[in-house]
Amino acid sequence: MQHGKYRFIVGFLTAPLALYAIFVIWPFVQSIFYSFTNWSGLSPEFSMVGIDNYTRMVQDDVFWKSLWHSVLFAVLVPLVTIGLALFLAFMVNVGGRKRRGGPAVTGVRGSSTYKIVYFFPQVLSIVIVALLFQYIYNPKSGAINSALDAVGLGSVQPLWLGDPDLALWCVMAVVVWATVGFFVVLFSAGMASIPAELYEAALLDGAGRFTTFFKVTVPLLWDTVQSGWVYMGILALGAESFAVVQIMTVGPGGPDYSTTVMVLYVYQKAFRDGQAAYATTIGVALLVVTLAFAALVMRLGRRERLEY
């Protein structure tokens, strides 16, 4: 009987594992292999060059800029997004005042409407969001500078995406705006599973909202927060940062490489410059950064699991 069970499990997992190996593991292996060649991506012919691509990468100033920008994306965007989403979810689910005849713990008035409003950016493609904010940041006719002019601050007209000191922060703000709603809904679902008796007991003990948030909500949601942090970091290192930088910035990646991130640099080297081997080398570095980020978050966020 036991032998039959293991045969069933092996048979059930064979096809999914085979597909995963073909479409996920094998491309990683190919990328690592091509990083040791001079393949252009335009011809099937190539030759082995050893670690020349890695030596070039270490000496590439643009690569180091893109690495630094990607690290900023991976650290700051999840930090702001998760923190803001936790606050908004707490207010929507727990932060309301007690109403006469109602439960002791409730969300603010109109909480259902707020959830819809917060989640709305998720309905839009990140491409559409990037195009909308490209117009919003327009220094001549954009909504932000027009609003500054309307309130008498016409002399304060930043170039936004045209300013090397502001462009990266503007792009990161768009990623936060586009993704925070998803985590508000995610954390709201997690908070709904926390027994109301825990909040009521905290309130009876004299705990305020600040104490309740950090002593009850965050510890009981920590597994969800940790998973969300890793997920958001991977998004910030990959598709989200690529889309907004590619669409919104001059160059793209400018001005003066001030918004170039690793995933965009991979794309440019592979499809613009015809240097596929060097692009795969940067891709391997991006893989190492992503794995290191996930491992670091899981390690630093490890704590005893709470049961309730």
Side-chain angles (χ1 to χ4, degrees), residues 102-149:
V105 178
T106 183
V108 297
R109 292 184 181 274
S111 57
S112 299
T113 303
Y114 288 134
K115 290 179 183 179
I116 296 173
V117 172
Y118 294 146
F119 191 75
F120 177 73
Q122 291 294 309
V123 179
L124 302 175
S125 166
I126 188 63
V127 175
I128 301 300
V129 172
L131 287 172
L132 288 174
F133 273 90
Q134 187 180 42
Y135 287 109
I136 291 173
Y137 284 132
N138 189 296
K140 294 183 178 180
S141 58
I144 299 178
N145 281 0
S146 297
L148 291 174
D149 186 55

Side-chain angles (χ1 to χ4, degrees), residues 79 183 185 295:
L79 178 64
F183 291 98
V185 175

